[in-house]
Each structure stands twice: as structure tokens, then as C-alpha cells.
Amino acid sequence: MSFHPLGIPLHRQPVCSLLRELAQEPFDLTRPGALSPERIAGLICRSGPVDVLYACQRVDGAVLDALQELADSSRAVDQFLLMKAGVVMNRIEGVESENRQVLHTAVRDIFQDRPAEPAATAKARQQLFRLATFLDRLDSGGLTNAAGQPFTDLVQIGIGGSDLGPRALCHALAAFRRPERRVHFIANVDPDDAAGVLASLDLSRSLVLVVSKSGSTLETLTNEALAREAFQQAGLDPARHFLAVTGPGSPMDDPGRYLESFHMEESVGGRFSATSMVGGVALGFALGYDAFLDILRGANDMDLAAEERDLRRNPALLLALLGVWNRSFLGCETLAVLPYSQALHRFTAHLQQCDMESNGKGITRQGQPVVGGTGPVVWGEPGTNGQHAFYQLLHQGTTLVPVEFIGFRHSQRDIDLLVQGTTCQDKLLANLLAQAQAMACGQKSANPNRAFAGNRPSSIIMAERLTPYTMGAILALYEAKIVFMGFIWDINSFDQEGVQLGKKLASRLLGHLEARRQNPRHDGAAGDPVGWALLAAADLVPPSSQPSPTREP
């Protein structure tokens, strides 16, 4: 399908002048009665398993109405629908770009009863069938190691989107893990990462899942080679232990080297791939097939909720517009995502990639420099640990950091205790709510060291319990939020050209090191003086090989 250039750069939206005017005197959260019960109850967006409480944002009715106008004039929901329908959205007009569809939503769009299924969803259903068959073979004893023993461990080797999302979800849902199954991850090309994981395993009862869409990711192939060597040294045939998730026809789509090769499509970007086979194989192995389907069901329900045009009833659109308000109009350059759930201790790391790789862009989809800021710096750690680490800056520092808290009314495991009249979960949620209140309202004091300015905005994302279904919904909530923000800024959220330059230069430096090993007289200074000088400065080539210093003009 063809590309539909619906976007209009943010600074050219007519409503922006009004939003800039409103941003001069945003809602004052510190004035007496500002956080009234009526405001708190009225500023809640409910959809599916998720409630978004946003009374502690610096918005009022006028700002919300203007943000709704911005959503409408930027056609954010229309663009989301076009994306889901398979229109090419990964493109920059007039210059060379990836020119691809964006169909991560299709991999979970399997629950509708319809006469004709979109091709991308049909392919996803086929992969799900293959996964179900594979897991059934494991469960029934039809697939074992050479000694007839069941596999107990799976190691996923990938990096970026092939690691962060699946790792975050596996950690988040560990409470639902089958007791006889464990999942591990190797991502960093640092050999200590692979060595540490592999040393902890009985390799004879372990599977290794190698994930690379292209089949050529350097770090992943390097770690795969380390893992294969470890299996061979243990007297094991890697072909009986190694699996792959890759693009159809890639070098890794090879039944001679892999026990099974699952497919991911070109239209599914790495950072949006956790609900594809990139996450599905490990999650299915650890949790079981039905639990993985629950993740997909939660994600699909949130995808459908994102089609709602009223920001007050669309949590992803609401969060996106609040993000644009804070970044583009209130000038906040960073966002802290703070889950009050230890199970989500890797989720912010996933969101960091998903958001910053998507919206860390400096040109519009017409190839022109953007006017104003785009994606914020995203970071965070779980509460309450973070309260004893970096919250001091959030409360009294000179950098204004909006916050998105994530909380659950009930714990995952239902193991708790009354201590001094309240449970651990009571204390966890009381801390979450208290932090939002403190950041919003501040505190007046004659002692300047104990004065808190307040007016530090936050939202609270609240659900009943962290289950596979809820995790899928929260994952898709953030994916849609990030996509909406890109549409509103009129940037391409689906490529990552900024990653490529460092890769290219690293390959050049590796070429120098390889040539140096083969020929000690090799001197790359003439063709690459900066790179050669860096290698020498790091003592990776002899100092005598450094290029002669040049005098600056």
C-alpha cells in the first residue's frame, strides 16, 4: 500500500499558538484546593485493565481541549489506523529511507472473527501455530536432548529489541513461570556476559534461541559463536540445541544449523517486536502457550482502545498528548517512568529503547529540521528503591522531571504480611501516591532546605494486578503512546539511522585490528587517522603506530 503523507509539523499546527499561550501560566498544582476530590475523580481515563490518573499534570479544561484539537488536526488516530491497515509509514519523503510498513499490531490481531484476515495477521497466526506445535513437542516429551531428558533452560541471544522487550516481560511475569523452566538472556558483546550465563547452565538440558531479523547482527553472531563453542566443548551437537528467530530467507533461516527457525516479518520493528516470535518463543517456553496468548490478548485490546478519538477515553493518546505538552510546551527534556512493582525492574529499560530510538529524531517526515524538541530522555527504576536513590533531584533539583508512575492494587504472588497495621502492598501504594502528591503540591517552609516548590507533574498508571493480560495491555499502551507522539511531531518513529554510524565505524576499527593481527606492520593511520589514534590511545595498537600529531591551523 502507498504512503499517505498526513503529517503536519507541530510548529505549523494552528492550535500551537494557543498552547504556547496556555503554557505561560499552566495550571498551578500548589494553590490551595487545586487537587480537589472533584479534580482527582474527574481526571481519570479508564480503558480495559488500565486507569490513567492525571490530576497531577499541569493541565486544565482549556489545555485538554487544545490538546484534543492538536490530536484532531495532526490526525494522530487516522495515522494510527493507516499504520494498522498496512500503509507505508516508515518513510522520509524525498530521501532514501527504509520505506516499510509498520505492522507490530498485526502479530496480536488474531482474536477477531472475520471472513478475510489481513496477510500480516495470517502470517502471525501461522507462526503462532508453529510455536504451539513446538511447545507441545517439548511438553509431551517428543523433543528432548540426546539422552532423552527434557529441556529445562532457554538462553535468548539478541540485542536491542531482540533482548530488551522479551527480557522485561520474562522478568515481569516470573511469578507465572513454569517451575521446571528457566529463561536467560545474553546481549552484551562483552564476553563476560555470555561466559557468566553459560557457566550457570547444564548445557545438555539447555536450548539457545538466537534472534536477529537480518541474520547478520554482529554482536548476536559473536555471542552465538561463543555459545556454539561452549556446546561443542561439552561434547554436544549445537544443531540439536539451537533455535532461531529471524526474517524469512535470512542466513539464519537454516534448518541445517537450527533445530527450528521461527520468522519475524520486515514490517515488525525490533523495539516493537516483543509480541512477535522475538518474545513469543521465550515467553511460551517459560509461561506456556496460553499465557503468551493472554499477553497478545491484552495488547490487542489496548490497540483497539487506541483507535478512540476522544483523548479522555484513549489512555495512549492521552499520555502522548501530555508528553507533547510537557516536552514541547513546558520545556521538560526528560521523563522518569517509575514502576512500583519490582517485577517491572527491566521494563523502563525496554521503554527507554522503544521511546528514545523511535522519537529521538531531528528531522520531519519531509526531511526538514524539526522546530522545537522531540523525544524526551527516558529513564527510571522501581519504587520504593528509587526513593532512596534519585528522588531528591525529582523533588528539589533544578531539573524539572515529569513522572509516569505504574502501580497495581494487588501483588502478583499474594504473599504479604500485616506489619504495624498495614500490608507491604499497602505501604508500596501509599508511597506511590504520596510521591505524586508531594511532587505536585510541594511544601512551604521558612527553612529553605525544607521547602519544596511543587508543580512537578506526574501521571499514575494503575491496574489491578500484573498478569500476562495486564502486561500485554501496558506494553501496547506505551507502544501506541510513542507512535502517537511521533505522528504529532511529524517525525518517523520507525527507523534508527542514528544507530548505524557507530556500527560502521566500529566495523572499520575491527578491520584495522584484524589486519594488525595478520600483519604487525599494518598502519591504518593514512586512511583513518582519528580511528587509528583512538586505537593507539586505548593501547589496542602499539604506540609507535600512532600517526604523527598535526598542528591545528
Side-chain angles (χ1 to χ4, degrees):
M1 301 181 73
S2 62
F3 174 71
H4 285 224
L6 287 180
I8 301 173
L10 179 64
H11 72 282
R12 288 172 48 199
Q13 296 284 354
V15 72
C16 277
S17 59
L18 173 58
L19 284 165
R20 290 190 194 97
E21 181 181 335
L22 293 169
Q24 297 303 307
E25 293 186 27
F27 184 81
D28 185 356
L29 297 165
T30 68
R31 66 175 172 79
L35 287 183
S36 66
E38 293 77 19
R39 175 182 170 86
I40 293 170
L43 296 186
I44 302 176
C45 177
R46 304 183 190 276
S47 184
V50 172
D51 297 339
V52 177
L53 290 66
Y54 59 106
C56 292
Q57 291 284 347
R58 301 196 67 184
V59 296
D60 55 16
V63 172
L64 291 171
D65 288 344
L67 290 174
Q68 181 70 64
E69 185 177 341
L70 177 61
D72 296 340
S73 63
S74 65
R75 305 179 189 175
V77 174
D78 290 320
Q79 294 190 71
F80 185 79
L81 292 169
L82 289 172
M83 181 194 78
K84 291 182 70 176
V87 171
V88 172
M89 305 300 281
N90 180 358
R91 180 175 175 178
I92 304 291
E93 282 289 285
V95 299
E96 183 180 349
S97 56
E98 292 183 339
N99 198 32
R100 294 173 185 165
Q101 296 171 301
V102 180
L103 288 172
H104 55 275
T105 57
V107 303
R108 58 243 191 176
D109 185 20
I110 60 170
F111 301 101
Q112 298 184 48
D113 184 14
R114 51 197 167 190
E117 191 167 62
T121 303
K123 290 179 180 179
R125 190 182 297 279
Q126 182 185 41
Q127 293 303 306
L128 281 169
F129 176 77
R130 292 183 61 206
L131 176 62
T133 303
F134 173 75
L135 295 174
D136 184 63
R137 289 174 63 203
L138 286 176
D139 294 344
S140 66
L143 180 61
T144 63
N145 68 5
Q149 299 170 311
F151 292 104
T152 57
D153 291 82
L154 182 143
V155 180
Q156 180 150 333
I157 297 178
I159 197 165
S162 298
D163 169 77
L164 289 164
R167 189 192 295 247
L169 267 61
C170 282
H171 282 295
L173 299 173
F176 300 89
R177 179 178 63 82
R178 296 174 55 162
E180 75 279 13
R181 301 263 177 89
R182 299 185 304 164
V183 175
H184 318 264
F185 293 87
I186 298 172
N188 200 327
V189 77
D190 179 348
D192 290 339
D193 189 13
V197 171
L198 296 172
S200 70
L201 302 175
D202 177 353
L203 297 183
S204 71
R205 302 188 66 179
S206 300
L207 295 167
V208 176
L209 177 66
V210 187
V211 184
S212 171
K213 185 196 295 186
S214 67
S216 61
T217 308
L218 178 62
E219 297 96 330
T220 299
L221 295 183
T222 301
N223 280 327
E224 179 185 5
L226 281 171
R228 284 184 178 272
E229 178 66 17
F231 274 77
Q232 288 168 348
Q233 289 186 2
L236 301 168
D237 179 5
R240 298 195 60 167
H241 292 261
F242 277 58
L243 313 165
V245 175
T246 192
S250 92
M252 284 171 49
D253 193 9
D254 181 357
R257 286 174 57 80
Y258 300 97
L259 189 64
E260 190 91 36
S261 289
F262 298 93
H263 290 160
M264 63 181 297
E265 296 301 315
E266 195 67 55
S267 59
V268 179
R271 55 192 174 275
F272 297 101
S273 66
T275 54
S276 73
M277 288 301 102
V278 170
V281 178
L283 289 163
F285 178 86
L287 310 176
Y289 183 72
D290 288 342
F292 181 58
L293 284 186
D294 281 344
I295 295 171
L296 299 186
R297 188 173 289 107
N300 184 63
D301 285 352
M302 192 54 67
D303 292 339
L304 295 174
E307 298 179 6
E308 167 63 50
R309 295 179 184 278
D310 184 349
L311 69 84
R312 292 170 175 84
R313 297 190 295 171
N314 182 335
L317 183 61
L318 172 65
L319 287 173
L321 288 161
L322 291 172
V324 172
W325 168 248
N326 287 328
R327 178 69 184 96
S328 299
F329 297 97
L330 298 187
C332 303
E333 296 183 344
T334 181
L335 170 70
V337 180
L338 308 178
Y340 274 63
S341 165
Q342 186 59 29
L344 291 181
H345 71 106
R346 291 300 297 165
F347 187 57
T348 302
H350 166 60
L351 295 181
Q352 188 177 66
Q353 186 214 12
C354 197
D355 197 316
M356 294 173 69
E357 196 167 83
S358 294
N359 291 337
K361 307 294 170 60
I363 63 167
T364 69
R365 287 181 292 178
Q366 290 73 45
Q368 301 299 314
V370 297
V371 175
T374 55
V377 175
V378 178
W379 60 283
E381 290 286 338
T384 56
N385 301 29
Q387 293 177 200
H388 297 268
F390 52 81
Y391 278 39
Q392 170 62 41
L393 184 147
L394 301 185
H395 285 291
Q396 290 183 303
T398 57
T399 299
L400 182 62
V401 182
V403 173
E404 288 173 358
F405 295 102
I406 303 175
F408 301 93
R409 297 179 182 93
H410 304 283
S411 64
Q412 275 188 321
R413 300 175 187 265
D414 283 330
I415 299 173
D416 209 338
L417 185 69
L418 278 171
V419 178
Q420 298 180 359
T422 58
T423 66
C424 298
Q425 189 69 14
D426 291 337
K427 294 176 177 66
L428 183 70
L429 292 180
N431 271 277
L432 184 162
L433 298 172
Q435 293 298 323
Q437 180 181 358
M439 290 178 189
C441 299
Q443 174 179 281
K444 291 182 170 58
S445 174
N447 181 344
N449 192 44
R450 293 178 179 168
F452 294 76
N455 268 326
R456 301 189 175 221
S458 68
S459 299
I460 299 171
I461 298 162
M462 185 68 68
E464 285 297 312
R465 188 188 305 270
L466 182 54
T467 65
Y469 175 80
T470 305
M471 185 70 257
I474 293 173
L475 175 72
L477 168 70
Y478 271 97
E479 289 179 348
K481 172 204 169 184
I482 291 162
V483 166
F484 279 136
M485 292 178 79
F487 290 153
I488 293 165
W489 279 318
D490 192 35
I491 57 178
N492 182 9
S493 300
F494 308 113
D495 67 3
Q496 54 282 330
E497 292 293 338
V499 179
Q500 304 308 319
L501 177 59
K503 285 184 178 180
K504 181 170 67 175
L505 294 177
S507 296
R508 186 186 301 172
L509 296 184
L510 287 171
H512 289 319
L513 292 174
E514 181 182 9
R516 185 78 186 175
R517 280 197 173 88
Q518 296 173 356
N519 176 14
R521 295 184 177 181
H522 171 77
D523 185 343
D528 184 13
V530 174
W532 194 253
L534 288 170
L535 287 170
D539 290 332
L540 297 181
V541 298
S544 60
S545 299
Q546 292 187 59
S548 300
T550 57
R551 187 182 302 275
E552 290 292 329

